[in-house]
């Protein structure tokens, strides 16, 4: 599903930096950039669209935020901002419905 999400985002102008960035205590599915904004992307798939949209709870949000903080500490770049996006996929796995939520949450909301 990450490949499907990645292609969707690339068609929308985002560029991949890294996928499956993993540190102790967290993982980021896709790290991309859009202009001068660094974008941390969580990809979720569920059969039901509402379940995919609501599947990122506070615990998962904190894990992603910790991984993002670690990424920012160890990788330098010329980015003026960063954001967290959610790509929720649902329905049949071969042709899922894709809902992209840019800026789905803020680090201070976790």
């Amino acid at each position: 599903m990450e490949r499907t999400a990645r292609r969707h985002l690339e068609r929308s102008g985002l560029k991949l930096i890294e996928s499956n960035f993993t540190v102790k205590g967290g993982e980021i599915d896709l790290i991309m950039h859009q202009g001068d904004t660094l974008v941390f992307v969580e990809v979720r798939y569920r059969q039901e669209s509402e379940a995919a949209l609501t599947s990122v709870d506070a615990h998962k949000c904190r894990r992603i935020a910790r991984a993002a903080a670690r990424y920012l500490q160890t990788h330098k770049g010329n980015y003026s901002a960063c954001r967290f996006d959610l790509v929720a996929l649902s329905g049949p796995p071969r042709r899922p419905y894709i809902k992209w939520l840019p800026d789905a949450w803020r680090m201070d909301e976790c």
Side-chain angles (χ1 to χ4, degrees):
M1 289 298 157
E2 287 177 17
R3 188 175 8 207
T4 301
R6 173 186 168 183
R7 283 193 307 258
H8 180 78
L9 295 173
E10 287 175 335
R11 283 192 300 268
S12 298
L14 281 76
K15 306 267 189 259
L16 181 70
I17 296 172
E18 189 168 341
S19 59
N20 298 313
F21 175 76
T22 305
V23 295
K24 184 178 179 181
E27 179 198 10
I28 301 170
D29 294 327
L30 301 170
I31 300 174
M32 305 183 85
H33 72 90
Q34 185 175 37
D36 62 352
T37 300
L38 188 61
V39 183
F40 300 103
V41 182
E42 176 66 9
V43 179
R44 304 299 272 193
Y45 171 76
R46 301 289 187 274
Q47 281 293 114
E48 301 295 323
S49 63
E50 198 61 36
L53 288 170
T54 60
S55 66
V56 178
D57 60 11
H59 177 71
K60 181 67 174 175
C61 178
R62 283 190 298 275
R63 291 177 59 105
I64 296 166
R66 277 196 301 268
R70 184 68 178 143
Y71 182 87
L72 292 169
Q73 290 171 348
T74 58
H75 294 77
K76 300 296 180 202
N78 292 327
Y79 302 105
S80 63
C82 67
R83 71 173 194 245
F84 294 92
D85 289 8
L86 172 63
V87 177
L89 299 102
S90 59
R94 291 186 183 227
R95 294 193 50 94
Y97 172 75
I98 301 169
K99 176 118 177 143
W100 173 30
L101 297 165
D103 209 12
W105 71 89
R106 305 267 175 181
M107 193 176 275
D108 60 350
E109 294 173 352
C110 297

